[in-house]
Amino acid sequence: MAKVIEGLYYSESHEFVRVEGDFGFIGITDYAQNALGNVVYVDMPEVDDEVAAGEEFGAVESVKAASDLYSPVSGTVVEINEALEDEPELINQDAFENWIIKVELSDKGELDALMDAKAYEAFCAKEH
């Protein structure tokens, strides 16, 4: 069973958001990294890029496949996880610790459309 962490917000495309104040740390879930296999490359936006809820912001490539990344929330990219440029496999080691982008949230109300840990676990169980 993939790890799911309480207190995060989850999207149906298997991204998570960890909210700290006005910022959201966005990455892929443990379920997603398990499905992808060994991650070999992460395509990330630039700092100051705008992301919109439900819109593509990058991609994760693994030895098996490439998967587009969709932002669960809207905002401005304030930081990218530069460690992933040299070590994309960090996502496989701990998907939740190794977020991909940090955004300044433009509408916290969007979080209401996302799943909590319990709902996401149920969603993943249905996908099997």
Side-chain angles (χ1 to χ4, degrees):
M1 178 69 190
K3 181 168 81 169
V4 176
I5 295 181
E6 291 287 334
L8 303 181
Y9 297 89
Y10 298 90
S11 70
E12 289 188 359
S13 52
H14 303 288
E15 286 86 15
F16 73 85
V17 185
R18 182 179 80 236
V19 177
E20 292 181 8
D22 292 331
F23 298 96
F25 293 83
I26 299 170
I28 64 169
T29 65
D30 193 49
Y31 181 93
Q33 73 81 19
N34 273 331
L36 279 168
N38 294 334
V39 174
V40 294
Y41 179 72
V42 183
D43 181 32
M44 296 177 272
E46 303 283 322
V47 170
D48 292 332
D49 280 1
E50 297 289 324
V51 296
E55 300 284 312
E56 192 181 318
F57 73 84
V60 175
E61 291 178 26
S62 73
V63 290
K64 285 198 253 180
S67 182
D68 290 334
L69 296 168
Y70 295 93
S71 186
V73 291
S74 301
T76 305
V77 178
V78 292
E79 191 178 340
I80 62 167
N81 188 346
E82 292 180 5
L84 297 178
E85 292 177 332
D86 296 325
E87 296 180 89
E89 67 276 6
L90 288 170
I91 287 178
N92 295 119
Q93 292 167 21
D94 190 335
F96 291 113
E97 275 302 305
N98 293 289
W99 49 273
I100 297 170
I101 59 173
K102 176 181 176 183
V103 299
E104 186 168 3
L105 302 170
S106 58
D107 180 4
K108 281 190 167 176
E110 291 175 341
L111 296 168
D112 297 339
L114 300 172
M115 293 177 275
D116 64 10
K118 190 173 226 148
Y120 182 68
E121 277 179 337
F123 177 78
C124 289
K126 277 191 220 140
E127 289 221 325
H128 276 301

Tab-separated table of all heavy atoms in Angstrom, residues 47-69:
chain	number	residue	atom	x	y	z
A	47	VAL	N	11.118	29.804	-11.807
A	47	VAL	CA	10.665	30.688	-10.734
A	47	VAL	C	9.974	31.887	-11.386
A	47	VAL	O	10.398	32.357	-12.450
A	47	VAL	CB	11.860	31.118	-9.854
A	47	VAL	CG1	11.453	32.228	-8.883
A	47	VAL	CG2	12.399	29.910	-9.085
A	48	ASP	N	8.901	32.351	-10.796
A	48	ASP	CA	8.042	33.450	-11.272
A	48	ASP	C	7.026	33.008	-12.322
A	48	ASP	O	6.186	33.815	-12.724
A	48	ASP	CB	8.830	34.664	-11.808
A	48	ASP	CG	9.578	35.383	-10.700
A	48	ASP	OD1	9.122	35.339	-9.538
A	48	ASP	OD2	10.629	35.972	-10.989
A	49	ASP	N	7.078	31.755	-12.771
A	49	ASP	CA	6.028	31.257	-13.665
A	49	ASP	C	4.723	31.168	-12.886
A	49	ASP	O	4.725	30.933	-11.673
A	49	ASP	CB	6.373	29.858	-14.203
A	49	ASP	CG	7.360	29.890	-15.355
A	49	ASP	OD1	7.811	30.985	-15.736
A	49	ASP	OD2	7.690	28.797	-15.862
A	50	GLU	N	3.625	31.351	-13.599
A	50	GLU	CA	2.304	31.184	-12.992
A	50	GLU	C	1.833	29.756	-13.255
A	50	GLU	O	2.027	29.235	-14.359
A	50	GLU	CB	1.300	32.150	-13.630
A	50	GLU	CG	1.616	33.616	-13.410
A	50	GLU	CD	1.398	34.068	-11.978
A	50	GLU	OE1	0.450	33.587	-11.333
A	50	GLU	OE2	2.188	34.897	-11.509
A	51	VAL	N	1.234	29.140	-12.253
A	51	VAL	CA	0.593	27.839	-12.458
A	51	VAL	C	-0.885	28.003	-12.139
A	51	VAL	O	-1.261	28.857	-11.337
A	51	VAL	CB	1.228	26.711	-11.593
A	51	VAL	CG1	2.666	26.468	-12.001
A	51	VAL	CG2	1.141	27.021	-10.106
A	52	ALA	N	-1.711	27.201	-12.803
A	52	ALA	CA	-3.154	27.278	-12.591
A	52	ALA	C	-3.665	25.902	-12.220
A	52	ALA	O	-3.192	24.884	-12.741
A	52	ALA	CB	-3.847	27.774	-13.856
A	53	ALA	N	-4.637	25.881	-11.317
A	53	ALA	CA	-5.218	24.612	-10.880
A	53	ALA	C	-5.696	23.811	-12.083
A	53	ALA	O	-6.395	24.335	-12.950
A	53	ALA	CB	-6.375	24.873	-9.914
A	54	GLY	N	-5.275	22.552	-12.135
A	54	GLY	CA	-5.685	21.668	-13.210
A	54	GLY	C	-4.856	21.781	-14.477
A	54	GLY	O	-5.031	21.010	-15.414
A	55	GLU	N	-3.922	22.734	-14.504
A	55	GLU	CA	-3.091	22.935	-15.696
A	55	GLU	C	-1.738	22.244	-15.525
A	55	GLU	O	-1.215	22.116	-14.429
A	55	GLU	CB	-2.848	24.435	-15.929
A	55	GLU	CG	-4.110	25.240	-16.141
A	55	GLU	CD	-4.709	25.045	-17.517
A	55	GLU	OE1	-3.968	25.128	-18.507
A	55	GLU	OE2	-5.926	24.802	-17.586
A	56	GLU	N	-1.159	21.868	-16.650
A	56	GLU	CA	0.137	21.205	-16.654
A	56	GLU	C	1.234	22.184	-16.243
A	56	GLU	O	1.227	23.332	-16.651
A	56	GLU	CB	0.379	20.712	-18.087
A	56	GLU	CG	1.512	19.762	-18.243
A	56	GLU	CD	1.684	19.362	-19.707
A	56	GLU	OE1	0.672	19.120	-20.401
A	56	GLU	OE2	2.836	19.335	-20.137
A	57	PHE	N	2.184	21.715	-15.417
A	57	PHE	CA	3.308	22.588	-15.058
A	57	PHE	C	4.664	21.942	-15.289
A	57	PHE	O	5.702	22.571	-15.079
A	57	PHE	CB	3.189	23.095	-13.603
A	57	PHE	CG	3.472	22.060	-12.541
A	57	PHE	CD1	4.771	21.780	-12.133
A	57	PHE	CD2	2.434	21.380	-11.931
A	57	PHE	CE1	5.026	20.843	-11.145
A	57	PHE	CE2	2.672	20.445	-10.941
A	57	PHE	CZ	3.983	20.168	-10.544
A	58	GLY	N	4.697	20.714	-15.714
A	58	GLY	CA	5.969	20.038	-15.929
A	58	GLY	C	5.711	18.564	-16.190
A	58	GLY	O	4.587	18.169	-16.520
A	59	ALA	N	6.771	17.772	-16.039
A	59	ALA	CA	6.635	16.335	-16.268
A	59	ALA	C	7.667	15.579	-15.447
A	59	ALA	O	8.699	16.138	-15.059
A	59	ALA	CB	6.816	16.023	-17.749
A	60	VAL	N	7.349	14.335	-15.192
A	60	VAL	CA	8.284	13.424	-14.539
A	60	VAL	C	8.522	12.288	-15.517
A	60	VAL	O	7.569	11.717	-16.052
A	60	VAL	CB	7.697	12.867	-13.218
A	60	VAL	CG1	8.622	11.823	-12.620
A	60	VAL	CG2	7.473	13.982	-12.223
A	61	GLU	N	9.795	11.985	-15.761
A	61	GLU	CA	10.118	10.875	-16.648
A	61	GLU	C	10.742	9.756	-15.830
A	61	GLU	O	11.601	9.999	-14.978
A	61	GLU	CB	11.091	11.324	-17.742
A	61	GLU	CG	10.456	12.273	-18.725
A	61	GLU	CD	11.429	12.758	-19.785
A	61	GLU	OE1	12.406	12.049	-20.085
A	61	GLU	OE2	11.198	13.863	-20.295
A	62	SER	N	10.292	8.542	-16.127
A	62	SER	CA	10.869	7.373	-15.475
A	62	SER	C	11.390	6.438	-16.547
A	62	SER	O	11.221	6.702	-17.745
A	62	SER	CB	9.811	6.663	-14.632
A	62	SER	OG	8.885	5.993	-15.469
A	63	VAL	N	12.001	5.343	-16.133
A	63	VAL	CA	12.475	4.375	-17.119
A	63	VAL	C	11.299	3.760	-17.870
A	63	VAL	O	11.450	3.316	-18.997
A	63	VAL	CB	13.353	3.273	-16.458
A	63	VAL	CG1	14.673	3.855	-16.003
A	63	VAL	CG2	12.639	2.613	-15.305
A	64	LYS	N	10.102	3.776	-17.268
A	64	LYS	CA	8.908	3.188	-17.882
A	64	LYS	C	8.141	4.167	-18.760
A	64	LYS	O	7.622	3.797	-19.797
A	64	LYS	CB	7.931	2.704	-16.798
A	64	LYS	CG	8.332	1.429	-16.106
A	64	LYS	CD	7.129	0.824	-15.412
A	64	LYS	CE	7.201	0.988	-13.926
A	64	LYS	NZ	6.080	0.442	-13.205
A	65	ALA	N	8.003	5.405	-18.298
A	65	ALA	CA	7.084	6.328	-18.975
A	65	ALA	C	7.366	7.772	-18.569
A	65	ALA	O	8.084	8.025	-17.616
A	65	ALA	CB	5.643	5.979	-18.598
A	66	ALA	N	6.750	8.676	-19.307
A	66	ALA	CA	6.754	10.088	-18.919
A	66	ALA	C	5.339	10.428	-18.480
A	66	ALA	O	4.376	9.937	-19.057
A	66	ALA	CB	7.172	10.967	-20.074
A	67	SER	N	5.226	11.230	-17.456
A	67	SER	CA	3.918	11.600	-16.942
A	67	SER	C	3.865	13.101	-16.724
A	67	SER	O	4.754	13.671	-16.090
A	67	SER	CB	3.686	10.862	-15.619
A	67	SER	OG	2.416	11.148	-15.111
A	68	ASP	N	2.841	13.741	-17.277
A	68	ASP	CA	2.678	15.177	-17.075
A	68	ASP	C	2.313	15.463	-15.630
A	68	ASP	O	1.667	14.652	-14.967
A	68	ASP	CB	1.577	15.727	-17.991
A	68	ASP	CG	1.997	15.718	-19.454
A	68	ASP	OD1	3.209	15.778	-19.736
A	68	ASP	OD2	1.101	15.657	-20.309
A	69	LEU	N	2.726	16.628	-15.166
A	69	LEU	CA	2.392	17.088	-13.816
A	69	LEU	C	1.321	18.161	-13.932
A	69	LEU	O	1.439	19.070	-14.761
A	69	LEU	CB	3.633	17.690	-13.147
A	69	LEU	CG	4.787	16.722	-12.899
A	69	LEU	CD1	6.039	17.497	-12.518
A	69	LEU	CD2	4.412	15.724	-11.813
